[in-house]
Amino acid sequence: MPNILDYLKENFLIFDGAMGTMIQKYKLSKDDFGGYECNDYLNISKPDIITEIHKQYLQAGAQVIETNTFNASELSLQEYGLADKTKEINRAGVRIAKSVAARFSTIEKPCFVSGSVGPGTKLPSLGHINFNEISTAYYSQIETLVEENVDILQIETNQDPLHIKAVLNACYRVFDKQKKTVPIIVQATIQDNGQMLVGTDVLAFLHTFTTMPVDVIGINCGTGPQLMESYIKTLAENSNKYISLLPNAGLPVMENGELAYDLTAQEFAKMTADLVKKYNIRMIGGCCGTTPEFIAALAKELADYKAGPHSFDYKNHLTSLFSAQAIDVYPKPLLVGERANTNGSKKFKKLLEEDKWDEMLETCKEQEDQGAHVLDICLTHLNRNEVNDINTFFPMLNSSIQVPLMIDTTSLDAIEAALKCLSGKAIINSCNFEEGDNNVRNYLQIAKRLNSALICLAIDETGMAKSFEQKLHILNRFIALANEVGVPKENLFFDSLTFSLATGEESYRNSAIESLKMIDYIEKNEPKISSIMGVSNVSFGLNPKIRKYLNAVFLSECVRKGLDAAIVDASKLIPINEIDKDIYEICTKLIYNEKHDDEDALLLLAKSIVVEANATDSTENLNYNEQLENKIIKGNTAELDIVLNKALAEKHAHEIINDLLIPAMQKVGELFENGRLQLPFVLKSAEVMKKSVEYLKPMMAESSSNKNKSMLLATVKGDVHDIGKNLVQIILENNGYNIIDLGVKQTPQQIKEAIIMHKPQSLGLSALLIKSTYYMKETLEFLKNADINIPVICGGAALNKSFVEKELQPVYNGKVVFGKDAFSGLEFMKEVL
Amino acid sequence: MNYQIKPHCIGLNQVERIDIETINNWINKKMLYFKLWGFKPDDMQDNNIKKEIENAHKRMFEWAKTQCSPSISYGIFPCQTDKDMIMIYKKKDSCENCVACNLLSTSADNVLKVLFFERDQEHNISICDYFNTVNSGVIDFLGCQVVTLGDKPVQFAKQLNDENQYQDYFYWHGYCSALTEALAAFTHGKIRKEMGIAKENETIEDEWTMNYRSRRYSFGYSWSTDMSEQFKVLDILKAKDMGIIMNESDELEPEFSTCALVIHHPEAKYW
């Protein structure tokens, strides 16, 4: 007999169909059940019937039969008063199946026995039962199945990932005890809403187990094959394990007052076989309502099918009870919310002291809303029992927080308690080598046993590692130990640590560089390991106003080097584009320990922030030209007239426009071009510009408005779209140009007449549709024939550079230019005038 | 697999008053925020920008309640294909509740409209490949839809621009484009239901990820480059009654209107 996993490498396996459905057909009496009304007891009271059912499935073409032990955990048997017969029932179940399978097994077509382990009726994520109770109650069933040498364990029809985790925990304990390993199938029941009963979606189910030692992840029961394609597709595209699929015989319908299923054997076989072929499913069979007839039809459909090669690629995720979160996010980094922390937040600590659990939960939900991908939770408190607090708070988190969690504590007991409350895959924060290898080994073992990721800090027996070499040495120790314990690299996070740059001490001046080097090293050499950093340490000790800038710049540098995850307060993070260029530069120099104009960067930073801080607190101290520029760039119209009056006291209105406002708008344009300002904000700036100009207009002599720099704008014939044209107009007008807007649907004749009348220096044509681009061409030809040759800029969704160059330019005597966005009009005007 | 569908009802259906809130919920925020409004996905991590976006969305939604009057016209029509033509048949009155449309006459005088399509020679594909042919002896069905927000939002956009409310003008224009698309998606969802191909619990996320059976084909793309064919669809849908016209450039007026064919074939794709 080959090992079932070896066989799977090149083959698929057909499982049997329903057991319960078959048993019902025998119309057994209460006596046949030995008075227990428990199907699994038939292993003892009517072994010949179970034998016959197995036989029928093998004859139909099944290669794997499932033991009649679906309800034979101590937990379920207890409900029938059979708890003391757990071992006996399971042993009999395996022996019956083994003896039948042996009769049908050949070298070409080996038959296997799968040990069925059902879910019971209590769901830990809903608080019906806890992890340890499940793990204990399933131990005896699994112990017997493994002793009796089932070929594979099938933990099936699961409604709750936490239940699965607990049963797997029992499996691993049995394997340790018996010193052998049996392959494992984990199967969820996905309802027609695409979720498990407790709300877990398919991806979250999958990724809760991708890094665990299980061999097959699949779906059984719930619905028929007709509704399973999207779930199977999700598995097929994301799983690093083989896939199993055991659908019901369609969707349930009532027939003569009895539950039946809506598919015939042929329909079932065709649909299921299609899924097998399309998604390379390796284990396939039937669940409720399927019979040997279904399995025979399935075998026939798959008679000539050969399994294709299986891809084991996958993207690592963390999970909550509800959903999966990829560790590799775009844009980087994965943001870990830091506010639910008794060490970091006085407010949170106080709530814990007053047992205000609901308000603590609110703190968590707030961060979730603010965009944290993962939440760090620390309940450590000197005067409290952390394990008790975890057992109160973590079940609440588990059932209400959508994102994965990070367990922030150094107590192994607390970590274990927390992981046993969580349905998904979490991160442990953190371990270090302060007390040597053994301590880290303990953390790794918990991480392995309860499937969690684990952060290691760059700390060893000598303390916090400052140099790159020290950090690297610790990382390598961590990798070696993880390898020894058997934790996959995907589950390892490394925090290379950073130190405050605020001390100015010589020995710390290079500390940021060393941390960045380490992040860079992990990115390039250990792609499976994730780097993580509590970024704000870099500015510890500085004025809060300075801290936020230095933190932002440092985070941005870390991300540039490849930082995967950052522990931050998402609400305090300022975007890099809001930082003044000078401050940005000084921060960068401080981080990279460079002199700034021969002055100490730290000192300079402190000085410059004083100015900046004042500026943001109040614009009072700024002179009017800075204030005006500020208002335009920030799109702020408050007290605009006051500032303009201040300016008018010293300058002419046209000077204010030409020397202050237009340069400010140019700055806005540059910010837009560099991707540091979004279009809606540019338009807000233009609004301020427009308001200022309107205010100043009455004070200007007519002659000083610049009629010489004018453009005629129109949307061509047959086109009513004017958004593009209007944006060009807004930008040009507010950069001091004179615009004559003809509006939409302008015929060549109308455009010609307007040019003759207004004598503009240039023409702008807009068109959205493909057809109107041909009208654009017609317009240009018409203008050429009228001897008009002023420069033209053409823009619109259907246009591109090559159309303008190849189709439009040749038909016109003057210059024709393609305008890709609202600002190209500005470039164009500068160029042609 | 048998792709034949059994629509619950066939023929034209016009709905005038549609709740803005419902349609607002169908808006694809990614498209609105990142494509139409020009923000970048990482902007959402900046709380100030996120707030700005959310407030703008809220403000536009409030305006839409008074400025937009969404109406739709759609229908499922019996049809078959002949080469690269779709023959749309008249429906018999007796056919109102009948789903076994095989009784329907496919004779030439029962043809309501013929839509012509070009075969994409490079990929050897045509929209018509997704239907039962005239020789199949089996009737197939085509979904048609046109939606509009009415003329008022266009006027309102103009007003904003004239008043130099540039930012809101831009937000409003983008919002109305997204709302039109949402209205089209909503109508497509209705057609799916009436075709009997909607999933039990179709969600709005399914819409955005196209996790549903059938595809919506607008005119002017590679599968239907001849825009003038759209006119026939508008005619069937009595679009004129809704105030929608097709101008000399074959574009729809008012601006915030869009028309499409719904093809139910599970393998229908875009090219």
Side-chain angles (χ1 to χ4, degrees):
Chain A
M1 275 287 280
N3 175 301
I4 192 165
L5 291 182
D6 289 337
Y7 187 79
L8 266 189
K9 279 181 192 153
E10 286 177 8
N11 301 284
F12 64 94
L13 281 168
I14 296 181
F15 276 51
D16 56 9
M19 175 61 78
T21 306
M22 293 300 287
I23 291 175
Q24 271 171 28
K25 290 186 196 254
Y26 286 87
K27 307 253 184 270
L28 297 175
S29 71
K30 212 172 170 184
D31 285 348
D32 295 325
F33 285 98
Y36 286 110
E37 287 188 48
C38 168
N39 281 347
D40 307 55
Y41 190 72
L42 292 174
N43 294 343
I44 292 169
S45 63
K46 285 277 169 196
D48 44 332
I49 289 185
I50 303 303
T51 305
E52 201 177 308
I53 295 171
H54 284 325
K55 212 166 104 186
Q56 287 178 40
Y57 277 120
L58 289 166
Q59 276 165 344
Q63 249 178 295
V64 184
I65 48 174
E66 296 168 40
T67 55
N68 180 33
T69 54
F70 184 80
N71 282 309
S73 73
E74 208 177 296
L75 199 64
S76 299
L77 289 176
Q78 191 177 301
E79 292 174 19
Y80 298 101
L82 284 167
D84 58 334
K85 297 215 158 46
T86 305
K87 289 208 153 224
E88 208 181 323
I89 292 172
N90 280 291
R91 190 178 301 128
V94 182
R95 288 186 182 176
I96 294 168
K98 281 239 144 192
S99 65
V100 192
R103 252 184 283 155
F104 281 82
S105 201
T106 62
I107 290 171
E108 296 79 40
K109 198 181 164 196
C111 295
F112 300 95
V113 169
S114 175
S116 169
V117 180
T121 53
K122 293 176 179 160
L123 301 175
S125 289
L126 302 183
H128 298 157
I129 188 169
N130 71 35
F131 185 99
N132 286 343
E133 285 163 345
I134 298 172
S135 183
T136 310
Y138 274 76
Y139 189 88
S140 51
Q141 177 182 23
I142 288 163
E143 185 181 35
T144 313
L145 294 175
V146 174
E147 265 168 17
E148 293 295 323
N149 294 316
V150 291
D151 295 300
I152 193 161
L153 285 165
Q154 184 172 353
I155 305 168
E156 58 176 338
T157 327
N158 287 292
Q159 328 279 352
D160 184 346
L162 185 53
H163 172 90
I164 305 175
K165 274 171 81 172
V167 176
L168 286 174
N169 187 262
C171 295
Y172 301 144
R173 286 188 295 128
V174 169
F175 296 167
D176 281 350
K177 173 118 180 286
Q178 298 192 14
K179 299 206 167 26
K180 70 173 180 186
T181 307
V182 176
I184 299 175
I185 307 170
V186 165
Q187 282 166 352
T189 294
I190 304 295
Q191 303 172 295
D192 55 9
N193 62 1
Q195 297 172 344
M196 294 169 79
L197 184 67
V198 292
T200 313
D201 67 26
V202 178
L203 205 60
F205 158 64
L206 171 68
H207 284 301
T208 301
F209 301 101
T210 37
T211 49
M212 284 191 105
V214 302
D215 305 281
V216 182
I217 295 183
I219 296 173
N220 76 295
C221 206
T223 62
Q226 64 265 58
L227 290 187
M228 285 181 162
E229 175 156 5
S230 68
Y231 318 148
I232 283 296
K233 186 164 183 261
T234 304
L235 287 186
E237 285 170 359
N238 297 285
S239 183
N240 60 341
K241 318 273 188 192
Y242 292 120
I243 298 166
S244 64
L245 173 66
L246 283 74
N248 290 343
L251 304 175
V253 287
M254 290 307 278
E255 250 170 35
N256 306 325
E258 273 184 41
L259 186 68
Y261 294 89
D262 73 346
L263 295 183
T264 63
Q266 270 64 37
E267 286 168 339
F268 171 89
K270 177 77 176 60
M271 287 179 194
T272 309
D274 281 348
L275 293 176
V276 170
K277 292 173 192 165
K278 198 162 166 191
Y279 299 107
N280 195 14
I281 297 167
R282 289 299 176 84
M283 290 186 158
I284 185 79
C287 204
C288 304
T290 57
T291 61
E293 195 195 344
F294 282 69
I295 298 306
L298 186 60
K300 204 173 146 204
E301 284 287 342
L302 293 170
D304 299 324
Y305 170 68
K306 280 250 169 292
H310 192 274
S311 152
F312 291 96
D313 279 353
Y314 82 114
K315 213 174 149 192
N316 200 16
H317 285 64
L318 300 166
T319 58
S320 68
L321 172 59
F322 307 102
S323 55
Q325 169 67 53
I327 291 172
D328 186 14
V329 291
Y330 178 82
K332 281 187 173 190
L334 187 80
L335 297 171
V336 183
E338 65 177 1
R339 295 211 303 274
N341 187 325
T342 47
N343 286 331
S345 160
K346 276 187 196 148
K347 188 182 143 206
F348 192 75
K349 188 174 177 186
K350 191 147 179 290
L351 291 175
L352 177 66
E353 282 164 359
E354 294 167 4
D355 290 319
K356 290 188 171 160
W357 305 107
D358 288 334
E359 286 172 48
M360 285 162 65
L361 195 60
E362 277 312 306
T363 308
C364 299
K365 283 188 185 160
E366 257 170 40
Q367 297 183 78
E368 196 180 355
D369 292 344
Q370 282 162 353
H373 299 119
V374 175
L375 295 187
D376 180 79
I377 311 284
C378 175
L379 302 180
T380 309
H381 192 292
L382 206 60
N383 304 325
R384 294 178 68 99
N385 181 323
E386 191 175 4
V387 171
N388 288 350
D389 286 341
I390 281 177
N391 283 330
T392 307
F393 194 50
F394 271 67
M396 292 171 74
L397 291 169
N398 189 47
S399 59
S400 29
I401 298 295
Q402 301 281 333
V403 299
L405 300 177
M406 178 179 277
I407 301 151
D408 189 345
T409 174
T410 47
S411 150
L412 284 166
D413 290 342
I415 291 170
E416 177 151 356
L419 288 174
K420 285 179 174 177
C421 296
L422 296 180
S423 307
K425 177 173 157 189
I427 312 180
I428 300 168
N429 181 16
S430 57
C431 68
N432 65 62
F433 283 90
E434 210 169 352
E435 289 165 33
D437 285 359
N438 266 337
N439 193 33
V440 173
R441 200 176 276 123
N442 291 338
Y443 283 86
L444 282 163
Q445 260 148 6
I446 284 201
K448 183 194 176 191
R449 212 155 23 89
L450 296 170
N451 192 37
S452 168
L454 172 63
I455 299 176
C456 178
L457 305 180
I459 301 176
D460 64 9
E461 294 87 339
T462 62
M464 292 163 77
K466 255 189 256 168
S467 72
F468 167 73
E469 288 72 21
Q470 279 172 294
K471 293 176 204 273
L472 179 58
H473 180 67
I474 296 171
L475 173 68
N476 286 334
R477 279 175 81 182
F478 186 45
I479 293 173
L481 272 186
N483 186 35
E484 173 201 311
V485 174
V487 174
K489 275 189 180 179
E490 285 86 345
N491 281 356
L492 305 183
F493 279 73
F494 191 73
D495 185 339
S496 50
L497 293 184
T498 189
F499 299 88
S500 174
L501 294 173
T503 62
E505 266 181 53
E506 206 47 51
S507 60
Y508 285 101
R509 285 192 174 229
N510 278 324
S511 63
I513 300 176
E514 298 293 299
S515 300
L516 288 167
K517 241 193 202 170
M518 190 63 210
I519 292 169
D520 190 46
Y521 174 87
I522 294 174
E523 170 77 8
K524 292 193 177 122
N525 301 289
E526 293 291 351
K528 285 184 179 172
I529 295 179
S530 303
S531 52
I532 186 167
M533 176 96 80
V535 174
S536 54
N537 281 345
V538 77
S539 64
F540 189 76
L542 286 173
N543 175 312
K545 278 172 189 152
I546 307 179
R547 285 195 75 171
K548 62 177 180 183
Y549 295 113
L550 187 55
N551 291 348
V553 176
F554 185 54
L555 177 60
S556 135
E557 289 305 304
C558 289
V559 169
R560 250 170 18 111
K561 297 285 182 210
L563 184 71
D564 296 297
I567 305 178
V568 291
D569 181 346
S571 67
K572 282 193 190 146
L573 220 52
I574 50 170
I576 210 84
N577 60 21
E578 272 183 22
I579 298 176
D580 178 89
K581 214 175 132 220
D582 290 342
I583 293 177
Y584 180 88
E585 220 166 84
I586 298 170
C587 288
T588 317
K589 291 205 163 140
L590 182 60
I591 289 165
Y592 288 103
N593 193 17
E594 291 164 19
K595 291 268 185 209
H596 187 85
D597 298 340
D598 270 347
E599 236 192 295
D600 187 86
L602 182 61
L603 211 68
L604 246 156
L605 182 63
K607 271 194 220 159
S608 66
I609 304 286
V610 174
V611 177
E612 167 73 8
N614 286 341
T616 41
D617 286 352
S618 141
T619 49
E620 285 290 300
N621 299 336
L622 293 179
N623 55 32
Y624 63 83
N625 44 19
E626 282 167 334
Q627 281 180 329
L628 266 184
E629 181 182 299
N630 219 309
K631 287 202 175 300
I632 293 224
I633 292 176
K634 297 240 150 106
N636 174 9
T637 53
E639 296 182 338
L640 186 61
D641 48 346
I642 297 178
V643 184
L644 285 170
N645 282 340
K646 247 199 249 174
L648 277 168
E650 290 181 26
K651 281 190 163 155
H652 287 298
H654 68 90
E655 283 173 340
I656 297 174
I657 294 177
N658 290 330
D659 302 344
L660 300 179
L661 298 177
I662 289 179
M665 274 308 285
Q666 276 165 354
K667 267 196 187 167
V668 169
E670 280 163 24
L671 286 171
F672 174 78
E673 294 294 338
N674 296 335
R676 291 171 61 160
L677 202 65
Q678 297 77 0
L679 190 53
F681 298 126
V682 172
L683 295 170
K684 199 76 201 172
S685 299
E687 279 180 29
V688 180
M689 179 73 186
K690 183 82 185 177
K691 260 205 176 136
S692 309
V693 173
E694 304 259 287
Y695 188 84
L696 296 171
K697 229 181 201 167
M699 289 150 239
M700 286 196 294
E702 188 58 29
S703 61
S704 60
S705 77
N706 207 337
K707 278 259 164 72
N708 294 331
K709 304 193 289 181
S710 64
M711 179 190 271
L712 186 89
L713 262 181
T715 300
V716 297
K717 175 174 140 186
D719 205 326
V720 294
H721 295 92
D722 58 2
I723 180 90
K725 168 183 73 69
N726 291 346
L727 291 178
V728 171
Q729 173 174 8
I730 291 166
I731 298 301
L732 283 179
E733 243 175 25
N734 291 296
N735 276 283
Y737 294 94
N738 185 30
I739 302 297
I740 306 132
D741 177 22
L742 293 186
V744 297
K745 295 215 266 186
Q746 293 295 307
T747 63
Q749 180 66 25
Q750 286 170 314
I751 292 173
K752 184 191 106 182
E753 282 166 14
I755 291 175
I756 291 169
M757 189 167 92
H758 297 285
K759 301 193 176 52
Q761 270 71 50
S762 67
L763 171 67
L765 292 178
S766 168
L768 177 85
L769 303 160
I770 297 199
K771 194 153 176 181
S772 28
T773 60
Y774 289 96
Y775 287 135
M776 202 175 246
K777 191 171 171 184
E778 188 187 316
T779 306
L780 290 173
E781 278 170 338
F782 188 85
L783 293 178
K784 178 185 176 187
N785 293 334
D787 282 333
I788 290 171
N789 56 12
I790 54 172
V792 182
I793 182 165
C794 295
L799 278 184
N800 56 42
K801 197 159 184 263
S802 104
F803 182 87
V804 172
E805 284 168 1
K806 291 194 184 125
E807 299 286 328
L808 300 182
Q809 180 66 73
V811 302
Y812 186 67
N813 272 343
K815 191 171 185 176
V816 185
V817 170
F818 171 60
K820 75 169 172 26
D821 59 28
F823 280 91
S824 26
L826 204 55
E827 283 297 304
F828 169 75
M829 286 304 261
K830 277 187 207 151
E831 211 171 286
V832 301
L833 297 176
Chain B
M1 206 181 274
N2 184 7
Y3 299 136
Q4 187 63 24
I5 58 166
K6 297 174 179 175
H8 305 314
C9 43
I10 58 175
L12 184 64
N13 191 11
Q14 291 195 324
V15 189
E16 253 173 48
R17 271 192 220 152
I18 295 179
D19 177 34
I20 298 274
E21 191 154 357
T22 309
I23 305 306
N24 185 61
N25 288 336
W26 279 72
I27 283 184
N28 185 343
K29 290 187 183 166
K30 276 190 192 149
M31 170 175 146
L32 177 58
Y33 299 170
F34 307 140
K35 204 164 156 233
L36 294 163
W37 285 354
F39 291 98
K40 292 185 292 277
D42 35 334
D43 289 338
M44 293 305 276
Q45 292 184 9
D46 176 341
N47 276 315
N48 291 330
I49 302 186
K50 194 172 163 223
K51 216 174 262 170
E52 163 77 21
I53 294 174
E54 284 165 356
N55 286 340
H57 190 160
K58 227 180 264 169
R59 194 161 67 245
M60 298 306 123
F61 168 53
E62 286 304 320
W63 284 345
K65 285 182 186 166
T66 55
Q67 298 296 334
C68 296
S69 31
S71 61
I72 63 176
S73 175
Y74 67 96
I76 298 164
F77 301 92
C79 73
Q80 285 176 328
T81 53
D82 188 356
K83 299 197 185 72
D84 291 321
M85 293 179 278
I86 300 183
M87 332 283 284
I88 301 180
Y89 299 119
K90 290 175 197 160
K91 133 190 117 125
K92 282 186 186 163
D93 290 341
S94 62
C95 200
E96 195 73 57
N97 298 311
C98 144
V99 287
C101 267
N102 287 326
L103 298 171
L104 210 86
S105 164
T106 58
S107 67
D109 60 345
N110 199 40
V111 171
L112 178 68
K113 280 267 163 21
V114 181
L115 303 181
F116 295 91
F117 293 92
E118 282 164 49
R119 175 160 293 275
D120 183 318
Q121 299 299 345
E122 192 190 333
H123 303 98
N124 188 25
I125 191 168
S126 155
I127 272 189
C128 299
D129 298 347
Y130 297 128
F131 292 90
N132 296 333
T133 64
V134 284
N135 300 324
S136 67
V138 186
I139 286 287
D140 212 327
F141 297 92
L142 171 70
C144 300
Q145 62 173 70
V146 63
V147 308
T148 184
L149 300 184
D151 193 40
K152 238 171 130 186
V154 184
Q155 302 308 323
F156 188 61
K158 188 172 175 319
Q159 186 192 328
L160 287 172
N161 190 30
D162 289 347
E163 288 170 0
N164 303 325
Q165 309 271 328
Y166 304 139
Q167 193 188 43
D168 278 342
Y169 165 61
F170 179 69
Y171 279 142
W172 175 250
H173 190 278
Y175 177 81
C176 287
S177 304
L179 194 66
T180 311
E181 202 50 38
L183 187 59
F186 165 81
T187 310
H188 183 185
K190 269 176 117 54
I191 292 181
R192 281 200 297 278
K193 276 206 190 97
E194 295 185 9
M195 279 182 165
I197 55 170
K199 286 185 295 181
E200 192 83 344
N201 295 306
E202 243 172 46
T203 64
I204 289 171
E205 281 74 25
D206 288 332
E207 170 61 40
W208 298 333
T209 53
M210 295 211 294
N211 181 18
Y212 50 69
R213 175 171 161 182
S214 78
R215 289 287 177 265
R216 192 162 81 236
Y217 294 82
S218 282
F219 287 87
Y221 293 89
S222 48
W223 45 80
S224 54
T225 45
D226 186 356
M227 291 294 291
S228 56
E229 290 299 301
Q230 178 169 251
F231 190 76
K232 299 175 192 168
V233 180
L234 294 173
D235 201 35
I236 299 173
L237 293 169
K238 299 198 168 40
K240 241 187 204 156
D241 296 355
M242 306 161 68
I244 301 175
I245 59 148
M246 205 165 123
N247 70 19
E248 68 271 33
S249 291
D250 299 332
E251 83 183 343
L252 299 184
E253 290 183 38
E255 186 178 350
F256 302 113
S257 309
T258 179
C259 171
L261 301 176
V262 174
I263 294 181
H264 70 74
H265 196 288
E267 281 156 22
K269 57 168 190 188
Y270 301 122
W271 66 88

